[in-house]
Amino acid sequence: MSKGFVKFGLYLALALLVSGCNNQNSKKTDLAVVNWEKAVNAHPMHHKLETGEKILKDLLQRREDQENLARTQMTSISKLQMLKKVSEQNYHLADINTKMIALRTYENEKLQKQIKIFEREADAILSERRNSIEKDYKLEIFNLELALQNVRMTPEKKADIEKKISEVKATRDARLAQLAEEKQVIVAQKAAPYVESVKLRLKESQDKFEQEAMLQMANTQEKDAKLLENAPNSLKQALAIMDKEIDKQQVKNNKRRKEISSDIEKSAVNLAKQRGYSVVFNQFKANVKAADITNDIISDLKNTQKNK
């Protein structure tokens, strides 16, 4: 329970105690007690206050972190300049790498499309030889496979024919593999000029990006020399802005806290008058018997909030 709520609770107990004392001469009344913390936590607006307190705590922590960080950095201006320079270098390096990755991806996609064209051109050049190789072995393989269908063939003869088929196919595949190697040579020769042009474009782009980065860094370093001279004033201004936000949030929280306390106080006073209670205590006392009207106050608060 916050100190603010305890204070309001004590005020309430004192106020009603005085009220009760004034009425003691007229008639005897019962005593009642309010669990102030429970009533506060159950108030419909309490979650907004909790949120506001979290925001305030975060603002205070951010202010402290910013101040500590700035003071640490300002202990060595030269170190700060170096760190900033390295940071900017890393930023530009990452930026250049990102741009170059995008360019390489684009150029690679174009290259792959062009290679497919070169492959089709190579296939056209070698198609006649490929067909000739297939034709040279097609009939021989067909006849050997046909001979395997002879049901009267001995196992030894069948094994010889199967071996012959494997040898013929291996010879054919070797010639086709050699042809595939020739195809790769043709494609590589056709692609070589295109690949060189891609490398040149990428090199020119990287040089351009690096020159732009160096120019930006030179301009930044000039500005930094002046900015770092004014760093203490800049820190004060930044903290002043944060202080305004902190003050603004504190005002909001205090307003909500007072509204919650006021609502509980009004409800307690009304119930005390309606039921004839002379005293409403904020805390229980061992030697006093009192009716606990906390839940009644909570119900009254919720009903009041719904009707607003």
Side-chain angles (χ1 to χ4, degrees), residues 226-270:
K226 296 180 180 179
L227 289 175
L228 290 173
E229 291 177 2
N230 298 324
N233 291 332
S234 298
L235 173 60
K236 290 180 180 179
Q237 292 176 2
L239 293 179
I241 294 174
M242 295 193 71
D243 287 339
K244 288 182 180 179
E245 288 298 318
I246 290 171
D247 291 342
K248 183 178 179 182
Q249 190 61 46
Q250 284 177 329
V251 170
K252 282 184 179 180
N253 293 351
N254 290 336
K255 181 180 179 181
R256 288 196 179 114
R257 190 177 290 108
K258 289 179 180 178
E259 289 176 359
I260 291 173
S261 296
S262 176
D263 289 344
I264 296 173
E265 183 179 351
K266 288 178 182 178
S267 179
V269 170
N270 290 336

Side-chain angles (χ1 to χ4, degrees), residues 8 10 33 46 69 71 83 116 153 181 194 233 299:
F8 277 110
L10 294 176
V33 65
H46 184 257
L69 177 61
R71 293 189 185 283
L83 289 173
K116 289 181 180 180
M153 184 181 300
E181 291 178 0
Y194 189 89
N233 291 332
S299 297

Side-chain angles (χ1 to χ4, degrees), residues 260-290:
I260 291 173
S261 296
S262 176
D263 289 344
I264 296 173
E265 183 179 351
K266 288 178 182 178
S267 179
V269 170
N270 290 336
L271 284 174
K273 288 181 179 180
Q274 292 172 9
R275 300 180 184 182
Y277 297 131
S278 59
V279 179
V280 177
F281 293 100
N282 181 44
Q283 296 178 343
F284 292 94
K285 292 186 178 181
N287 59 344
V288 176
K289 290 184 179 180

Side-chain angles (χ1 to χ4, degrees), residues 4-173:
F5 285 133
V6 173
K7 186 180 293 186
F8 277 110
L10 294 176
Y11 287 163
L12 171 61
L14 181 60
L16 293 177
L17 178 60
V18 172
S19 176
C21 291
N22 292 335
N23 294 326
Q24 280 182 351
N25 295 329
S26 59
K27 72 170 187 175
K28 184 178 180 180
T29 58
D30 295 331
L31 302 179
V33 65
V34 178
N35 187 326
W36 190 268
E37 181 177 3
K38 183 178 179 181
V40 168
N41 291 337
H43 193 285
M45 201 164 39
H46 184 257
H47 70 283
K48 292 183 178 180
L49 178 59
E50 285 185 319
T51 301
E53 292 290 357
K54 289 178 181 178
I55 293 173
L56 178 60
K57 183 178 179 181
D58 180 65
L59 287 171
L60 290 170
Q61 185 61 52
R62 283 166 53 193
R63 186 194 187 283
E64 182 179 356
D65 292 344
Q66 181 173 341
E67 185 174 8
N68 291 337
L69 177 61
R71 293 189 185 283
T72 300
Q73 290 176 336
M74 286 188 294
T75 57
S76 176
I77 297 298
S78 60
K79 182 178 179 180
L80 179 60
Q81 289 175 326
M82 182 59 67
L83 289 173
K84 187 174 180 62
K85 182 178 179 180
V86 172
S87 176
E88 188 174 10
Q89 286 175 340
N90 290 336
Y91 166 78
H92 285 297
L93 180 60
D95 185 53
I96 291 172
N97 287 338
T98 300
K99 291 177 180 178
M100 291 306 300
I101 288 172
L103 278 177
R104 290 191 191 100
T105 301
Y106 171 73
E107 291 289 358
N108 185 61
E109 290 175 353
K110 288 175 60 179
L111 176 60
Q112 294 304 316
K113 292 179 181 179
Q114 194 63 39
I115 286 177
K116 289 181 180 180
I117 295 174
F118 296 149
E119 287 177 342
R120 289 195 293 269
E121 292 176 353
D123 286 335
I125 294 173
L126 301 172
S127 63
E128 186 175 346
R129 290 174 59 190
R130 182 180 294 104
N131 293 336
S132 177
I133 293 172
E134 295 283 359
K135 184 178 179 182
D136 288 346
Y137 296 97
K138 184 176 182 180
L139 181 58
E140 184 177 2
I141 293 172
F142 175 77
N143 289 332
L144 289 171
E145 290 176 344
L146 185 62
L148 284 176
Q149 299 178 14
N150 189 341
V151 295
R152 296 181 180 181
M153 184 181 300
T154 63
E156 292 79 7
K157 182 64 175 176
K158 182 177 181 181
D160 290 340
I161 294 176
E162 289 176 342
K163 180 179 179 182
K164 181 63 175 175
I165 291 175
S166 296
E167 291 174 350
V168 172
K169 286 184 177 181
T171 304
R172 179 200 62 186
D173 291 344

